[in-house]
Amino acid sequence: MARTLFDRVWDSHLVAEPEGESPLLYVDLHLVHEVTSPQAFEGLRLAGRRVRRPDLTLATMDHNVPTDDRPADDLAAAQLEALHRNCKEFGVPLYATGSGREGIVHVIGPELGLSQPGLTIVCGDSHTSTHGAVGALAIGIGTSEVEHVLATQTLPQRRPKTMRLELSGSLPLGVTAKDAILGAIGRIGVAGAVGHVIEYAGEVVRGLPMSGRMTICNMSIEAGARAGMIAPDDTTFAYLEGRPAAPQGAEWERALDRWRALPSDPDATYDRVVEIDVRELAPQVSWGTNPGMVVSVDGVVPDPADFEDPAERDAAERALAYMALEPGTPIQEIEVDRVFIGSCTNARIEDLREAAAVVAGMRVHPRVRALVVPGSATVKRQAEEEGLDRVFEAAGFEWRRAGCSMCLGMNPDILQPGERCASTSNRNFEGRQGRGGRTHLVSPSMAAATALAGHFVDVRELALEPVA
Amino acid sequence: MKPFRRTTGRVAVLDRADVDTDQLIPKQFLKRIERTGFGEFLFYDWMQDDGFELRRPEAQGAAILLTGRNFGCGSSREHAAWALQDYGFEVVVAPSFGDIFRTNSLKIGLLPVTLPEDDLRALMAEGSGAELTVDLEAQTIGPYGFDFDAFDRRRLLEGLDDIGLTLRHEEEIAAFEAAHPSPIDTRALG
Ligand code: SF4
């Protein structure tokens, strides 16, 4: 029978299918960070259990860490210290701050070559879906499940449904993977893929580099999906080859044979198929308080009265009140106070290059405070080798150390109440970047252009004008 | 895990769609390394507003939360489920849930009941403070029946420990590991 990429990975990881219970799935790689793990380790300790496979587990520090010279607050420091202690006690390898390999957990997995096609990957974090870009089944889990995986290296999981999301056409100039996924979530809604694993397919996906594929898979959860996946191909293999954890020599050849057999059969069927043509897609800007509330940069803030569904109308009204926006306001008239370029969605080297190309030789608007936070220590080093740090700093951006930073404001980088921010992250929930803060999600080039202008601008128009 | 069979209690109505886990428990409270004590931070930002639904006198002491679709979407933070339970909620009823939140709730014995929109609307119409009985054994909430996965139901009724359940499959796990040598070793990265 014809099978999908998902079917192949799922079926090959079934450890047991006990009658009347959830199937038990083997976990190939378990990534751990400081925020969702302390209670899991404590649970192991109380039950006298050990970590079954420390060799398949890797921890890093990302959510809490300050990205400049300010110290972590006492609670954050205690949580980071707890991760140190737990990793030591249970033998789990840890890339701590300063190790040179630390970074946002979803950036370092692929970067180290640990995230490989056909693997099952879990992490106590909803954006684990990012790793699906290499053709892995990567699932975000809660703390009880983290404990479960630490103890058993397996996860009881009900088989999810499958959705094929076909992105057809080709992305117009100035329109990025970020715009494609924001546009897609705007179309299918924030609950549009609940219970499903999305396989992204189509010409657009095939043409994207791994960074763009990761951006797309990263935001699967924002459509409610269990995971997002992309079939591995030569782009994937070229990305992985030579990375620290990638197979080498004869192993590499054997791995390639396995990986080439993973993609979905052409006649495979899915529970749902959605096709989105991106030829007319414009850069996207979110206007509300969930990632489905997006509009084209040449559009206006919508009028809640135009929503037919009462729940949506109600949500739109609340969102506009929170965001302090009037219906009908052109997006490009909205002024921002802060710009954040970073997060597991858009803080890989390619994202930083995209933003740097826009700001080179320009100045950040005097009202705007702008921040660039590389996704990992490795990205930071590479960017500095390429001189991107100097491009950003010369333009007036702050150049920081790796971490989640202002994506969630659990560390010193937060918005003040009422501040408005153009952000390359993935969530515009109320208070996400700081209590009372107002987040607009955009691509790296849009964020960069907005930093220069002080309000949203259409990056496509910038690109057409020769930059002096 | 705390078993759940049946509860009779007061209802609180929060008629909003897409309530995300960042609202349920804002990130500044995720730095604690304990599993308890999150109840006082539930809906922290919204609670600052006098008009917030859960601040109303009739919603005090509620055990059953009636809310909108896609409840608990967003972040995987189990702290959201811990906070609801610690605050006093035993049951959350919605037309649909975020997947990870739903799983997290099931893991700790907070009962997530999925109810068709019309039935839920009828319950919400009674308003906060109304009394309601939720019976997992009979799969009923007030006058309505609800669907529930048979395995999850048994786990909750008996308060079974998931890790314990899985460890009954130790032989199968070991056999799987023997047959599938791992392609990675996180300790060998240098
Ligand atoms: S960058 Fe943001 S979304 Fe990504 S892991 Fe960190 S906090 Fe979560």
Side-chain angles (χ1 to χ4, degrees), chain A residues 20-21 26 39 52 55 57 73 79 101 143-144 148 158 195 408 410 427 430-431 435, chain B residues 22-23 27 30-31 34-35 45-46 74 78 99 151-152 166 168 170 177 182 186 189:
Chain A
E21 298 179 15
Y26 198 78
Q39 294 87 352
R52 183 185 180 93
D55 57 324
T57 312
D73 66 65
Q79 201 169 54
R101 275 185 171 167
T143 297
S144 293
H148 194 284
R158 220 162 294 136
L408 92 167
M410 250 189 105
R427 285 192 175 134
E430 284 183 30
R435 185 153 178 250
Chain B
D22 275 77
Q23 302 320 314
K27 67 251 154 199
L30 306 186
K31 293 177 186 170
E34 300 83 20
R35 211 176 177 122
D45 289 349
W46 287 353
E78 194 165 307
D99 281 329
F151 176 49
D152 287 334
T166 293
R168 291 173 312 161
E170 172 57 37
E177 288 176 327
S182 170
T186 54
L189 287 170

mmCIF file of all heavy atoms in Angstrom, chain A residues 20-21 26 39 52 55 57 73 79 101 143-144 148 158 195 408 410 427 430-431 435, chain B residues 22-23 27 30-31 34-35 45-46 74 78 99 151-152 166 168 170 177 182 186 189:
data_model
loop_
_atom_site.group_PDB
_atom_site.id
_atom_site.type_symbol
_atom_site.label_atom_id
_atom_site.label_comp_id
_atom_site.label_asym_id
_atom_site.label_seq_id
_atom_site.Cartn_x
_atom_site.Cartn_y
_atom_site.Cartn_z
ATOM 1 N N GLY A 20 -6.187 -1.988 23.241
ATOM 2 C CA GLY A 20 -6.963 -1.019 24.024
ATOM 3 C C GLY A 20 -6.149 0.116 24.628
ATOM 4 O O GLY A 20 -6.649 0.868 25.453
ATOM 5 N N GLU A 21 -4.879 0.226 24.264
ATOM 6 C CA GLU A 21 -4.055 1.317 24.793
ATOM 7 C C GLU A 21 -3.453 2.109 23.638
ATOM 8 O O GLU A 21 -3.589 1.718 22.491
ATOM 9 C CB GLU A 21 -2.929 0.755 25.681
ATOM 10 C CG GLU A 21 -3.444 0.017 26.894
ATOM 11 C CD GLU A 21 -2.323 -0.544 27.757
ATOM 12 O OE1 GLU A 21 -1.167 -0.140 27.591
ATOM 13 O OE2 GLU A 21 -2.632 -1.407 28.606
ATOM 14 N N TYR A 26 8.992 4.582 19.836
ATOM 15 C CA TYR A 26 10.368 4.751 20.288
ATOM 16 C C TYR A 26 10.864 6.151 19.943
ATOM 17 O O TYR A 26 10.545 6.682 18.879
ATOM 18 C CB TYR A 26 11.312 3.708 19.675
ATOM 19 C CG TYR A 26 12.597 3.625 20.462
ATOM 20 C CD1 TYR A 26 12.644 2.939 21.673
ATOM 21 C CD2 TYR A 26 13.752 4.267 20.031
ATOM 22 C CE1 TYR A 26 13.802 2.898 22.437
ATOM 23 C CE2 TYR A 26 14.911 4.237 20.785
ATOM 24 C CZ TYR A 26 14.930 3.544 21.994
ATOM 25 O OH TYR A 26 16.078 3.513 22.759
ATOM 26 N N GLN A 39 10.872 19.558 36.822
ATOM 27 C CA GLN A 39 9.884 18.709 37.494
ATOM 28 C C GLN A 39 9.957 17.269 36.978
ATOM 29 O O GLN A 39 9.604 16.334 37.697
ATOM 30 C CB GLN A 39 8.481 19.278 37.283
ATOM 31 C CG GLN A 39 8.239 20.633 37.944
ATOM 32 C CD GLN A 39 8.653 21.825 37.065
ATOM 33 O OE1 GLN A 39 9.263 21.657 36.005
ATOM 34 N NE2 GLN A 39 8.344 23.032 37.518
ATOM 35 N N ARG A 52 17.031 6.459 30.893
ATOM 36 C CA ARG A 52 17.314 5.210 30.211
ATOM 37 C C ARG A 52 18.413 5.359 29.163
ATOM 38 O O ARG A 52 19.307 4.535 29.068
ATOM 39 C CB ARG A 52 16.028 4.706 29.535
ATOM 40 C CG ARG A 52 16.201 3.359 28.859
ATOM 41 C CD ARG A 52 14.957 2.929 28.104
ATOM 42 N NE ARG A 52 15.186 1.641 27.477
ATOM 43 C CZ ARG A 52 14.866 0.475 28.044
ATOM 44 N NH1 ARG A 52 14.285 0.441 29.226
ATOM 45 N NH2 ARG A 52 15.136 -0.648 27.423
ATOM 46 N N ASP A 55 22.535 8.772 26.105
ATOM 47 C CA ASP A 55 23.222 8.940 24.821
ATOM 48 C C ASP A 55 22.273 9.398 23.713
ATOM 49 O O ASP A 55 22.714 9.744 22.619
ATOM 50 C CB ASP A 55 23.912 7.634 24.415
ATOM 51 C CG ASP A 55 22.942 6.466 24.329
ATOM 52 O OD1 ASP A 55 21.998 6.410 25.155
ATOM 53 O OD2 ASP A 55 23.097 5.617 23.437
ATOM 54 N N THR A 57 19.950 11.728 24.531
ATOM 55 C CA THR A 57 19.381 12.910 25.181
ATOM 56 C C THR A 57 20.418 14.025 25.146
ATOM 57 O O THR A 57 21.612 13.755 25.288
ATOM 58 C CB THR A 57 19.035 12.566 26.654
ATOM 59 O OG1 THR A 57 18.308 11.336 26.680
ATOM 60 C CG2 THR A 57 18.209 13.659 27.301
ATOM 61 N N ASP A 73 18.000 36.675 36.697
ATOM 62 C CA ASP A 73 17.414 36.914 38.014
ATOM 63 C C ASP A 73 17.532 35.638 38.843
ATOM 64 O O ASP A 73 17.874 34.575 38.328
ATOM 65 C CB ASP A 73 15.965 37.395 37.894
ATOM 66 C CG ASP A 73 15.056 36.332 37.324
ATOM 67 O OD1 ASP A 73 14.868 35.289 37.975
ATOM 68 O OD2 ASP A 73 14.529 36.526 36.208
ATOM 69 N N GLN A 79 16.944 27.965 38.112
ATOM 70 C CA GLN A 79 16.471 26.986 37.137
ATOM 71 C C GLN A 79 17.633 26.502 36.243
ATOM 72 O O GLN A 79 17.733 25.311 35.930
ATOM 73 C CB GLN A 79 15.383 27.621 36.273
ATOM 74 C CG GLN A 79 14.494 26.596 35.604
ATOM 75 C CD GLN A 79 13.278 27.227 34.973
ATOM 76 O OE1 GLN A 79 13.396 28.150 34.179
ATOM 77 N NE2 GLN A 79 12.109 26.720 35.297
ATOM 78 N N ARG A 101 28.482 25.780 22.046
ATOM 79 C CA ARG A 101 27.521 25.072 21.211
ATOM 80 C C ARG A 101 26.092 25.269 21.704
ATOM 81 O O ARG A 101 25.171 24.626 21.233
ATOM 82 C CB ARG A 101 27.838 23.587 21.184
ATOM 83 C CG ARG A 101 28.880 23.253 20.131
ATOM 84 C CD ARG A 101 29.078 21.772 20.045
ATOM 85 N NE ARG A 101 29.916 21.425 18.913
ATOM 86 C CZ ARG A 101 30.456 20.229 18.743
ATOM 87 N NH1 ARG A 101 30.234 19.280 19.634
ATOM 88 N NH2 ARG A 101 31.182 19.970 17.683
ATOM 89 N N THR A 143 5.702 18.299 30.367
ATOM 90 C CA THR A 143 6.693 17.845 31.339
ATOM 91 C C THR A 143 6.478 16.396 31.795
ATOM 92 O O THR A 143 7.445 15.651 31.980
ATOM 93 C CB THR A 143 6.712 18.800 32.547
ATOM 94 O OG1 THR A 143 7.122 20.085 32.076
ATOM 95 C CG2 THR A 143 7.663 18.333 33.622
ATOM 96 N N SER A 144 5.224 15.969 31.968
ATOM 97 C CA SER A 144 4.986 14.565 32.347
ATOM 98 C C SER A 144 5.520 13.630 31.271
ATOM 99 O O SER A 144 6.061 12.566 31.566
ATOM 100 C CB SER A 144 3.491 14.297 32.539
ATOM 101 O OG SER A 144 3.004 14.998 33.663
ATOM 102 N N HIS A 148 8.435 10.775 31.152
ATOM 103 C CA HIS A 148 8.154 9.466 30.572
ATOM 104 C C HIS A 148 9.246 9.045 29.584
ATOM 105 O O HIS A 148 9.710 7.906 29.587
ATOM 106 C CB HIS A 148 6.786 9.524 29.879
ATOM 107 C CG HIS A 148 6.223 8.189 29.534
ATOM 108 N ND1 HIS A 148 6.669 7.445 28.472
ATOM 109 C CD2 HIS A 148 5.259 7.442 30.127
ATOM 110 C CE1 HIS A 148 5.997 6.307 28.423
ATOM 111 N NE2 HIS A 148 5.141 6.278 29.411
ATOM 112 N N ARG A 158 -1.317 8.452 20.435
ATOM 113 C CA ARG A 158 -2.356 8.013 19.509
ATOM 114 C C ARG A 158 -1.928 8.417 18.106
ATOM 115 O O ARG A 158 -1.321 9.476 17.930
ATOM 116 C CB ARG A 158 -3.677 8.678 19.873
ATOM 117 C CG ARG A 158 -4.846 7.733 19.741
ATOM 118 C CD ARG A 158 -6.039 8.254 20.517
ATOM 119 N NE ARG A 158 -5.764 8.261 21.950
ATOM 120 C CZ ARG A 158 -6.079 9.267 22.762
ATOM 121 N NH1 ARG A 158 -6.666 10.328 22.312
ATOM 122 N NH2 ARG A 158 -5.808 9.190 24.050
ATOM 123 N N GLY A 195 -4.686 17.816 15.737
ATOM 124 C CA GLY A 195 -4.776 16.362 15.584
ATOM 125 C C GLY A 195 -4.060 15.812 14.358
ATOM 126 O O GLY A 195 -4.017 14.609 14.149
ATOM 127 N N LEU A 408 9.965 35.266 24.032
ATOM 128 C CA LEU A 408 8.986 35.007 25.088
ATOM 129 C C LEU A 408 9.233 35.840 26.328
ATOM 130 O O LEU A 408 8.450 35.775 27.264
ATOM 131 C CB LEU A 408 8.917 33.518 25.442
ATOM 132 C CG LEU A 408 9.806 32.972 26.564
ATOM 133 C CD1 LEU A 408 9.347 31.590 26.952
ATOM 134 C CD2 LEU A 408 11.239 32.983 26.170
ATOM 135 N N MET A 410 11.251 35.702 28.919
ATOM 136 C CA MET A 410 11.441 35.058 30.230
ATOM 137 C C MET A 410 12.754 35.482 30.824
ATOM 138 O O MET A 410 13.156 35.049 31.881
ATOM 139 C CB MET A 410 11.522 33.542 30.048
ATOM 140 C CG MET A 410 10.335 32.809 30.570
ATOM 141 S SD MET A 410 10.646 31.055 30.545
ATOM 142 C CE MET A 410 10.917 30.739 32.283
ATOM 143 N N ARG A 427 4.921 33.837 17.896
ATOM 144 C CA ARG A 427 3.682 34.011 18.660
ATOM 145 C C ARG A 427 3.441 35.471 18.995
ATOM 146 O O ARG A 427 4.326 36.138 19.524
ATOM 147 C CB ARG A 427 3.730 33.206 19.965
ATOM 148 C CG ARG A 427 3.537 31.754 19.687
ATOM 149 C CD ARG A 427 3.274 30.938 20.924
ATOM 150 N NE ARG A 427 2.981 29.591 20.481
ATOM 151 C CZ ARG A 427 3.493 28.483 21.005
ATOM 152 N NH1 ARG A 427 4.309 28.568 22.035
ATOM 153 N NH2 ARG A 427 3.173 27.312 20.513
ATOM 154 N N GLU A 430 -1.207 37.730 23.592
ATOM 155 C CA GLU A 430 -1.173 38.836 24.547
ATOM 156 C C GLU A 430 -0.025 38.624 25.536
ATOM 157 O O GLU A 430 0.105 37.550 26.117
ATOM 158 C CB GLU A 430 -2.478 38.889 25.351
ATOM 159 C CG GLU A 430 -3.647 39.445 24.595
ATOM 160 C CD GLU A 430 -4.897 39.535 25.470
ATOM 161 O OE1 GLU A 430 -4.767 39.719 26.702
ATOM 162 O OE2 GLU A 430 -5.998 39.404 24.920
ATOM 163 N N GLY A 431 0.787 39.643 25.710
ATOM 164 C CA GLY A 431 1.828 39.599 26.731
ATOM 165 C C GLY A 431 2.988 38.672 26.432
ATOM 166 O O GLY A 431 3.882 38.524 27.258
ATOM 167 N N ARG A 435 4.441 41.868 29.433
ATOM 168 C CA ARG A 435 3.079 42.233 29.773
ATOM 169 C C ARG A 435 2.672 43.548 29.109
ATOM 170 O O ARG A 435 3.377 44.538 29.215
ATOM 171 C CB ARG A 435 2.958 42.347 31.297
ATOM 172 C CG ARG A 435 1.585 42.606 31.733
ATOM 173 C CD ARG A 435 1.293 42.094 33.120
ATOM 174 N NE ARG A 435 -0.079 42.489 33.374
ATOM 175 C CZ ARG A 435 -0.430 43.423 34.239
ATOM 176 N NH1 ARG A 435 0.474 43.997 34.992
ATOM 177 N NH2 ARG A 435 -1.688 43.760 34.351
ATOM 178 N N ASP B 22 -0.082 30.837 27.153
ATOM 179 C CA ASP B 22 0.588 32.047 27.648
ATOM 180 C C ASP B 22 -0.363 32.848 28.537
ATOM 181 O O ASP B 22 0.073 33.527 29.471
ATOM 182 C CB ASP B 22 1.056 32.942 26.485
ATOM 183 C CG ASP B 22 2.426 32.537 25.945
ATOM 184 O OD1 ASP B 22 2.495 31.538 25.214
ATOM 185 O OD2 ASP B 22 3.421 33.219 26.259
ATOM 186 N N GLN B 23 -1.667 32.806 28.239
ATOM 187 C CA GLN B 23 -2.645 33.498 29.098
ATOM 188 C C GLN B 23 -2.872 32.694 30.373
ATOM 189 O O GLN B 23 -2.995 33.249 31.458
ATOM 190 C CB GLN B 23 -3.990 33.677 28.387
ATOM 191 C CG GLN B 23 -3.922 34.448 27.082
ATOM 192 C CD GLN B 23 -2.969 35.616 27.144
ATOM 193 O OE1 GLN B 23 -2.968 36.398 28.103
ATOM 194 N NE2 GLN B 23 -2.124 35.728 26.140
ATOM 195 N N LYS B 27 4.756 33.569 31.231
ATOM 196 C CA LYS B 27 6.106 32.981 31.338
ATOM 197 C C LYS B 27 6.876 33.336 32.584
ATOM 198 O O LYS B 27 7.738 32.586 32.997
ATOM 199 C CB LYS B 27 6.937 33.393 30.135
ATOM 200 C CG LYS B 27 7.237 34.890 30.123
ATOM 201 C CD LYS B 27 6.490 35.578 29.084
ATOM 202 C CE LYS B 27 6.240 37.016 29.396
ATOM 203 N NZ LYS B 27 5.130 37.503 28.573
ATOM 204 N N LEU B 30 7.172 30.552 34.981
ATOM 205 C CA LEU B 30 7.662 29.235 34.552
ATOM 206 C C LEU B 30 9.050 28.962 35.094
ATOM 207 O O LEU B 30 9.662 27.955 34.765
ATOM 208 C CB LEU B 30 7.712 29.147 33.017
ATOM 209 C CG LEU B 30 6.431 29.480 32.263
ATOM 210 C CD1 LEU B 30 6.631 29.200 30.783
ATOM 211 C CD2 LEU B 30 5.265 28.684 32.797
ATOM 212 N N LYS B 31 9.564 29.882 35.899
ATOM 213 C CA LYS B 31 10.940 29.712 36.369
ATOM 214 C C LYS B 31 11.018 28.857 37.620
ATOM 215 O O LYS B 31 12.102 28.507 38.046
ATOM 216 C CB LYS B 31 11.551 31.085 36.651
ATOM 217 C CG LYS B 31 11.749 31.909 35.386
ATOM 218 C CD LYS B 31 12.294 33.274 35.713
ATOM 219 C CE LYS B 31 12.342 34.144 34.462
ATOM 220 N NZ LYS B 31 12.636 35.533 34.804
ATOM 221 N N GLU B 34 9.353 23.759 41.027
ATOM 222 C CA GLU B 34 8.398 22.866 41.692
ATOM 223 C C GLU B 34 7.214 22.626 40.769
ATOM 224 O O GLU B 34 7.041 23.297 39.765
ATOM 225 C CB GLU B 34 7.893 23.483 43.000
ATOM 226 C CG GLU B 34 8.967 23.784 44.022
ATOM 227 C CD GLU B 34 9.656 25.121 43.751
ATOM 228 O OE1 GLU B 34 9.081 25.959 43.037
ATOM 229 O OE2 GLU B 34 10.801 25.303 44.242
ATOM 230 N N ARG B 35 6.379 21.678 41.191
ATOM 231 C CA ARG B 35 5.230 21.331 40.390
ATOM 232 C C ARG B 35 3.942 21.916 40.977
ATOM 233 O O ARG B 35 2.877 21.823 40.367
ATOM 234 C CB ARG B 35 5.126 19.805 40.389
ATOM 235 C CG ARG B 35 4.543 19.240 39.136
ATOM 236 C CD ARG B 35 4.569 17.716 39.193
ATOM 237 N NE ARG B 35 3.936 17.216 38.013
ATOM 238 C CZ ARG B 35 4.497 16.411 37.139
ATOM 239 N NH1 ARG B 35 5.709 15.961 37.328
ATOM 240 N NH2 ARG B 35 3.836 16.022 36.075
ATOM 241 N N ASP B 45 -2.423 37.878 34.050
ATOM 242 C CA ASP B 45 -2.638 39.214 33.470
ATOM 243 C C ASP B 45 -4.123 39.556 33.418
ATOM 244 O O ASP B 45 -4.524 40.664 33.759
ATOM 245 C CB ASP B 45 -2.017 39.308 32.068
ATOM 246 C CG ASP B 45 -0.492 39.331 32.137
ATOM 247 O OD1 ASP B 45 0.046 39.491 33.260
ATOM 248 O OD2 ASP B 45 0.154 39.172 31.087
ATOM 249 N N TRP B 46 -4.932 38.607 32.989
ATOM 250 C CA TRP B 46 -6.372 38.862 32.886
ATOM 251 C C TRP B 46 -6.986 39.092 34.272
ATOM 252 O O TRP B 46 -7.945 39.842 34.429
ATOM 253 C CB TRP B 46 -7.074 37.693 32.166
ATOM 254 C CG TRP B 46 -6.783 37.666 30.694
ATOM 255 C CD1 TRP B 46 -6.104 38.606 29.990
ATOM 256 C CD2 TRP B 46 -7.170 36.654 29.752
ATOM 257 N NE1 TRP B 46 -6.039 38.236 28.661
ATOM 258 C CE2 TRP B 46 -6.682 37.050 28.493
ATOM 259 C CE3 TRP B 46 -7.885 35.451 29.853
ATOM 260 C CZ2 TRP B 46 -6.888 36.292 27.334
ATOM 261 C CZ3 TRP B 46 -8.085 34.700 28.701
ATOM 262 C CH2 TRP B 46 -7.583 35.108 27.450
ATOM 263 N N GLY B 74 -1.114 26.687 21.794
ATOM 264 C CA GLY B 74 0.164 27.369 22.008
ATOM 265 C C GLY B 74 1.198 26.500 22.686
ATOM 266 O O GLY B 74 1.316 25.316 22.402
ATOM 267 N N GLU B 78 3.282 22.523 30.693
ATOM 268 C CA GLU B 78 2.331 21.761 31.509
ATOM 269 C C GLU B 78 1.888 22.594 32.705
ATOM 270 O O GLU B 78 0.865 22.316 33.340
ATOM 271 C CB GLU B 78 2.989 20.445 31.951
ATOM 272 C CG GLU B 78 2.022 19.413 32.502
ATOM 273 C CD GLU B 78 2.659 18.028 32.581
ATOM 274 O OE1 GLU B 78 3.189 17.561 31.551
ATOM 275 O OE2 GLU B 78 2.627 17.427 33.665
ATOM 276 N N ASP B 99 -3.773 20.174 21.321
ATOM 277 C CA ASP B 99 -3.395 18.768 21.537
ATOM 278 C C ASP B 99 -2.502 18.566 22.759
ATOM 279 O O ASP B 99 -2.717 17.660 23.551
ATOM 280 C CB ASP B 99 -2.624 18.229 20.315
ATOM 281 C CG ASP B 99 -3.560 17.857 19.175
ATOM 282 O OD1 ASP B 99 -4.699 17.445 19.454
ATOM 283 O OD2 ASP B 99 -3.135 17.970 18.008
ATOM 284 N N PHE B 151 -9.168 4.038 26.745
ATOM 285 C CA PHE B 151 -7.923 3.852 27.492
ATOM 286 C C PHE B 151 -7.692 5.015 28.455
ATOM 287 O O PHE B 151 -7.388 4.811 29.632
ATOM 288 C CB PHE B 151 -6.752 3.705 26.519
ATOM 289 C CG PHE B 151 -5.414 3.594 27.190
ATOM 290 C CD1 PHE B 151 -5.203 2.708 28.237
ATOM 291 C CD2 PHE B 151 -4.343 4.371 26.751
ATOM 292 C CE1 PHE B 151 -3.954 2.603 28.849
ATOM 293 C CE2 PHE B 151 -3.098 4.277 27.357
ATOM 294 C CZ PHE B 151 -2.905 3.394 28.411
ATOM 295 N N ASP B 152 -7.878 6.238 27.962
ATOM 296 C CA ASP B 152 -7.710 7.411 28.830
ATOM 297 C C ASP B 152 -8.702 7.355 29.988
ATOM 298 O O ASP B 152 -8.382 7.736 31.120
ATOM 299 C CB ASP B 152 -7.926 8.701 28.032
ATOM 300 C CG ASP B 152 -6.770 9.000 27.093
ATOM 301 O OD1 ASP B 152 -5.651 8.542 27.388
ATOM 302 O OD2 ASP B 152 -6.986 9.664 26.070
ATOM 303 N N THR B 166 4.006 1.731 30.897
ATOM 304 C CA THR B 166 4.970 1.508 29.817
ATOM 305 C C THR B 166 6.032 0.499 30.227
ATOM 306 O O THR B 166 6.465 -0.328 29.418
ATOM 307 C CB THR B 166 5.622 2.842 29.409
ATOM 308 O OG1 THR B 166 4.627 3.661 28.817
ATOM 309 C CG2 THR B 166 6.756 2.628 28.420
ATOM 310 N N ARG B 168 5.781 -2.066 31.754
ATOM 311 C CA ARG B 168 5.352 -3.449 31.542
ATOM 312 C C ARG B 168 5.839 -3.962 30.187
ATOM 313 O O ARG B 168 5.825 -5.145 29.912
ATOM 314 C CB ARG B 168 3.824 -3.558 31.583
ATOM 315 C CG ARG B 168 3.199 -3.313 32.966
ATOM 316 C CD ARG B 168 1.705 -3.291 32.831
ATOM 317 N NE ARG B 168 1.373 -2.407 31.709
ATOM 318 C CZ ARG B 168 0.234 -2.385 31.044
ATOM 319 N NH1 ARG B 168 -0.725 -3.207 31.363
ATOM 320 N NH2 ARG B 168 0.038 -1.553 30.052
ATOM 321 N N GLU B 170 8.871 -3.483 29.021
ATOM 322 C CA GLU B 170 10.328 -3.430 29.050
ATOM 323 C C GLU B 170 10.958 -4.390 28.034
ATOM 324 O O GLU B 170 11.884 -4.018 27.316
ATOM 325 C CB GLU B 170 10.819 -3.737 30.477
ATOM 326 C CG GLU B 170 12.323 -3.913 30.625
ATOM 327 C CD GLU B 170 13.133 -2.712 30.139
ATOM 328 O OE1 GLU B 170 12.690 -1.568 30.324
ATOM 329 O OE2 GLU B 170 14.230 -2.943 29.557
ATOM 330 N N GLU B 177 15.370 -1.869 20.852
ATOM 331 C CA GLU B 177 16.700 -1.259 20.889
ATOM 332 C C GLU B 177 17.762 -2.185 20.303
ATOM 333 O O GLU B 177 18.667 -1.745 19.600
ATOM 334 C CB GLU B 177 17.057 -0.865 22.330
ATOM 335 C CG GLU B 177 16.256 0.340 22.793
ATOM 336 C CD GLU B 177 16.497 0.716 24.247
ATOM 337 O OE1 GLU B 177 16.742 -0.194 25.066
ATOM 338 O OE2 GLU B 177 16.424 1.922 24.547
ATOM 339 N N SER B 182 21.076 2.778 17.434
ATOM 340 C CA SER B 182 20.814 4.193 17.202
ATOM 341 C C SER B 182 21.862 4.827 16.302
ATOM 342 O O SER B 182 23.051 4.559 16.447
ATOM 343 C CB SER B 182 20.788 4.915 18.533
ATOM 344 O OG SER B 182 20.770 6.290 18.284
ATOM 345 N N THR B 186 24.694 11.370 21.564
ATOM 346 C CA THR B 186 24.887 12.764 21.991
ATOM 347 C C THR B 186 26.131 12.929 22.856
ATOM 348 O O THR B 186 26.577 14.047 23.077
ATOM 349 C CB THR B 186 23.664 13.263 22.796
ATOM 350 O OG1 THR B 186 23.432 12.344 23.873
ATOM 351 C CG2 THR B 186 22.430 13.341 21.929
ATOM 352 N N LEU B 189 29.874 13.854 20.755
ATOM 353 C CA LEU B 189 29.981 15.028 19.883
ATOM 354 C C LEU B 189 31.250 15.834 20.138
ATOM 355 O O LEU B 189 31.588 16.724 19.380
ATOM 356 C CB LEU B 189 28.763 15.942 20.084
ATOM 357 C CG LEU B 189 27.461 15.412 19.477
ATOM 358 C CD1 LEU B 189 26.294 16.262 19.933
ATOM 359 C CD2 LEU B 189 27.553 15.408 17.975
#
